[in-house]
Each structure stands twice: as structure tokens, then as C-alpha cells.
Amino acid sequence: METVVHEIASGIYRLSTFVAEVAPPAGFTFNQFLVLGDEPLLFHTGPRRMFPLVHAAVGRIIPPERLRWISFGHYEADECGAMNEWLAAAPHAEVAHGQTGCLVSLNDMADRAPRILKDGETIDLNQGRRVRYIDTPHVPHGWDAGVLLEETTGTLLCGDLFTQLGNDRALTGSDIVGPAIAAEDMFDYSSLNPGMGTTIRRLAGLAPRTLALMHGPSFTGDGAAALHALADDYDRRAAKLLPETVRMVNA
Ligand SMILES: [Fe+2]
Ligand SMILES: [Fe+2]
């Protein structure tokens, strides 16, 4: 296994490890994103066993001990399995996550107390960079789920949203909605709920110019259109399963 590094937006690096054994024959990527600044932030730590690879990849960009913030979509091994390894490697690093994630898991599981972020709260990384935390409970899964928007470049660090199989380019302008629908059909990984379309459309309102996928390429282009199309697909799925509930929510 190797971890490759690409800059997908100004000062935002995608660290990508392709694992052929997951979902063969297409395989699956595990991506972390390093956002530069005086206070560099890593979104997703990678699984614990991938720590040496990810640590070395971060080391190609900055001294790893300079890392200041660790954040991720939700509490799961591929999102945050190496959280405590990172807290040990970077003495000034803090985990930052939403209230639910901190109260339910991180206050106990993280070796240092996490910073609790309110929905919409920002972290100033300095050098003109700021990330905004947005709660997305149960979307695509996890009560504690959330995403980060890097405001200068309009990059949405969107975690498991748009998950796709295979190992495409680091950055694409091609359709990411079709491959995401195919992966959802295959894995059933989302906590399908009647509010899902609404939660995803709220992210479309941020008009992101880059979508940084945890499993798949990063997308450059009309992020809002892609999010609307994804929201429509989840509404379609929810309407099939929960017709009466969806009718009431949309009334
Ligand atoms: Fe996940
Ligand atoms: Fe994931």
C-alpha cells in the first residue's frame, strides 16, 4: 500500500491510500485532507493501522508535530482510528468535533479533551484560512456526523457523502453522483431518513467549488448541483421506504 499526495485546492492536500482488498475488484480509497495554515488541520486521521503511512504522507508537506487540529466526519475507524496516535505525535494538536460526537464518544475516547464545536462555529487556522463546522446528524450515517467547509477555497470536506468505489484521479470534473448512487446501492451505507435530502440541500446552500470525498476523487465544479442531485436521489429512496413520513415532512 502507498499513500499518494495531491493538492486539490490552494493549500489543501489529499492524502489517498488505495486498498485493493476492500470491495474487489474495484477496490476502495481512504482519503485524508490536510488544510494548511499557521494552525494546520487534518480532516480524517485514517484507520489506526494506516497511521505510519498517513504520518509519513503528512511529513512530506509539513513537520507532522506541527499539526494543530484533528477533525473528521464521525466516530468510526477510518475517520478517526488513529486519533490518539496523532495526539501523541503532535503535542499541540486538539481534536475538534460537534457536541454530539464529543459528548457521546470523544470526551472518553480521545487522550486529550476535545474542542466542542457548535453547529456553524468556525476555527481560525490563520493565514486567512477558516473552517466552518456543520452538523449533519445521521447523514450519511452516525448520530454525531458533521462536515467542514474551508471558506477561502470553498472546499467542502464532505466525508462519506458521495462515496464511490475504485481509484479515479485525485481531482475530477466528471459526474460523481452516478458513482455515489451505485456505491449506495451496493453498500447501503447511509442511515436513510426522511430529513436526509433537506440536510444535504443545506450543504448545497454553501455553494462549494470543491467537494473533498473521503472515498473517491475530489470534485471541482458546481458542488451545489451535485449536492442537489444527491439529495434528490436520497429523497427518492426515502419516498420508496417511508412515503407517508416524507409527505408530512415536505408538507
Ligand atoms: Fe463512515
Ligand atoms: Fe469513511
Side-chain angles (χ1 to χ4, degrees):
M1 268 193 307
E2 66 165 335
T3 302
V4 295
V5 174
H6 291 95
E7 190 174 12
I8 51 119
S10 178
I12 302 183
Y13 290 83
R14 173 184 183 263
L15 286 47
S16 183
T17 309
F18 176 63
V19 183
E21 294 74 25
V22 176
F28 204 57
T29 53
F30 293 84
N31 306 319
Q32 301 80 40
F33 296 91
L34 180 68
V35 183
L36 297 189
D38 289 339
E39 300 193 4
L41 176 144
L42 184 66
F43 193 67
H44 310 142
T45 68
R48 191 163 56 94
R49 289 196 178 84
M50 220 179 255
F51 175 70
L53 277 176
V54 178
H55 183 261
V58 167
R60 282 182 246 155
I61 310 161
I62 58 165
E65 62 273 16
R66 267 199 57 217
L67 194 66
R68 177 67 180 85
W69 297 104
I70 298 165
S71 194
F72 39 85
H74 46 271
Y75 189 79
E76 240 174 23
D78 58 336
E79 272 78 7
C80 65
M83 166 178 71
N84 287 326
E85 280 74 2
W86 274 109
L87 287 174
H92 303 294
E94 271 179 86
V95 170
H97 209 278
Q99 185 159 330
T100 304
C102 291
L103 297 185
V104 170
S105 298
L106 300 170
N107 279 346
D108 186 59
M109 300 304 287
D111 282 347
R112 287 199 292 276
R115 170 170 165 183
I116 299 177
L117 300 172
K118 291 194 206 76
D119 183 36
E121 188 171 338
T122 57
I123 302 179
D124 199 341
L125 307 182
N126 296 319
Q127 294 180 5
R129 252 174 214 288
R130 206 164 71 154
V131 290
R132 182 177 298 276
Y133 172 77
I134 300 138
D135 266 329
T136 63
H138 302 291
V139 176
H141 52 243
W143 181 23
D144 55 335
V147 296
L148 281 188
L149 176 73
E150 196 288 310
E151 295 186 331
T152 345
T153 58
T155 299
L156 188 66
L157 302 163
C158 57
D160 286 340
L161 285 170
F162 296 102
T163 284
Q164 65 171 257
L165 280 74
N167 191 17
D168 199 353
R169 290 154 289 177
L171 189 62
T172 184
S174 303
D175 174 47
I176 56 165
V177 180
I181 289 172
E184 184 68 64
D185 286 340
M186 187 172 189
F187 294 137
D188 259 337
Y189 70 90
S190 292
S191 303
L192 197 57
N193 66 84
M196 198 159 176
T198 305
T199 303
I200 297 173
R201 276 187 203 95
R202 187 176 161 225
L203 301 178
L206 303 169
R209 301 188 289 280
T210 302
L211 299 172
L213 279 55
M214 182 179 194
H215 309 286
S218 292
F219 169 79
T220 178
D222 188 344
L227 286 158
H228 275 292
L230 188 70
D232 289 348
D233 182 66
Y234 282 118
D235 275 353
R236 179 183 63 75
R237 290 172 193 272
K240 240 201 227 164
L241 282 181
L242 308 159
E244 181 60 16
T245 319
V246 169
R247 192 188 62 71
M248 284 161 53
V249 164
N250 292 329

